[in-house]
Amino acid sequence: MDFNDEKWRTWSRLMEQIQEGDMEAYALLLSEISPLIFNYVRKRVFNPSQVEDVYQDVLLTFHKARHTYQIDRPFSPWLFTVVRNAIWAAISKRHKVTEKELQLETLPETAVHARSEEGLEDDLREALDALPEANRQAVEMLKLQGMDLETAAKQLGISKVALKVRAHRGYEQLRKKLMREN
């Protein structure tokens, strides 16, 4: 489908009709822009199993945001801003859920409770001590001390993203070390 200037002007006129309550114009616009939006989502969501869910979230956000379009402004920048922000929100929401899920593939093959709790604590302390200082600090602050990202990042004088990277690397190193020992 060719998305030339005339097509964008037509879609802008449809948005004007939609804001006036024309549901036929809404159905027409959705049928015309849906493939464009789906392809945009598909190229930005790297997990294929999430594309359809993110796409649905984007359409819902578009529906909720349609009243914010200003008819005297170009349609394409508004549309892609809404879509881009909806993608980020959907991915962020899914990432938060994924972080809280217990990943089955990370569970040890052998039963952890077979050891005494003291032995496990000793192994954990030993594994933590073996981490590079930056990763150990990140893990201890976030998991052992229960600090939130913002507080820990400020205390270390780094960005939240840098702290997340340090912590993630620390978690991976801990997991590998503890899995080897089990």
Side-chain angles (χ1 to χ4, degrees):
M1 182 179 283
D2 181 25
F3 297 107
N4 57 29
D5 288 343
E6 185 55 40
K7 181 59 76 177
W8 289 108
R9 283 191 291 274
T10 300
W11 290 345
S12 180
R13 286 189 296 275
L14 286 172
M15 278 301 289
E16 184 176 2
Q17 293 170 355
I18 291 166
Q19 289 178 339
E20 293 170 357
D22 186 343
M23 295 315 288
E24 287 179 22
Y26 187 53
L28 177 61
L29 179 65
L30 274 181
S31 71
E32 290 188 13
I33 67 171
S34 290
L36 173 71
I37 292 173
F38 184 80
N39 285 329
Y40 191 85
V41 169
R42 188 175 46 82
K43 290 177 183 174
R44 283 154 183 83
V45 176
F46 300 114
N47 184 342
S49 67
Q50 292 184 350
V51 170
E52 188 64 36
D53 290 337
V54 171
Y55 171 67
Q56 292 300 321
D57 286 348
V58 168
L59 290 180
L60 184 59
T61 301
F62 172 78
H63 176 75
K64 291 177 181 177
R66 69 186 191 274
H67 72 279
T68 66
Y69 175 64
Q70 298 172 359
I71 58 174
D72 60 329
R73 316 249 2 228
F75 180 65
S76 65
W78 175 85
L79 176 66
F80 286 113
T81 299
V82 168
V83 171
R84 185 184 63 246
N85 291 343
I87 291 170
W88 278 108
I91 290 172
S92 176
K93 178 176 72 175
R94 279 166 182 68
H95 181 70
K96 287 177 186 174
V97 168
T98 303
E99 280 181 342
K100 293 178 182 177
E101 290 177 345
L102 177 62
Q103 299 297 322
L104 294 178
E105 62 269 11
T106 63
L107 293 176
E109 295 278 329
T110 59
V112 172
H113 58 78
R115 290 195 216 184
S116 70
E117 284 189 27
E118 272 185 30
L120 183 60
E121 287 178 15
D122 290 343
D123 288 349
L124 181 57
R125 177 47 53 199
E126 185 181 311
L128 274 169
D129 290 341
L131 291 178
E133 179 70 15
N135 302 104
R136 185 186 54 73
Q137 282 181 324
V139 170
E140 286 180 344
M141 292 173 121
L142 295 175
K143 294 301 179 189
L144 300 180
Q145 298 172 19
M147 285 187 186
D148 62 274
L149 274 172
E150 192 168 331
T151 304
K154 282 182 184 176
Q155 189 169 335
L156 291 173
I158 60 175
S159 71
K160 290 191 287 188
V161 172
L163 178 61
K164 285 181 182 180
V165 169
R166 288 182 183 182
H168 177 73
R169 289 178 180 160
Y171 303 148
E172 281 298 306
Q173 292 166 347
L174 280 175
R175 184 182 64 78
K176 286 177 184 173
K177 180 158 180 52
L178 291 172
M179 291 295 286
R180 275 193 302 256
E181 291 176 4
N182 283 332

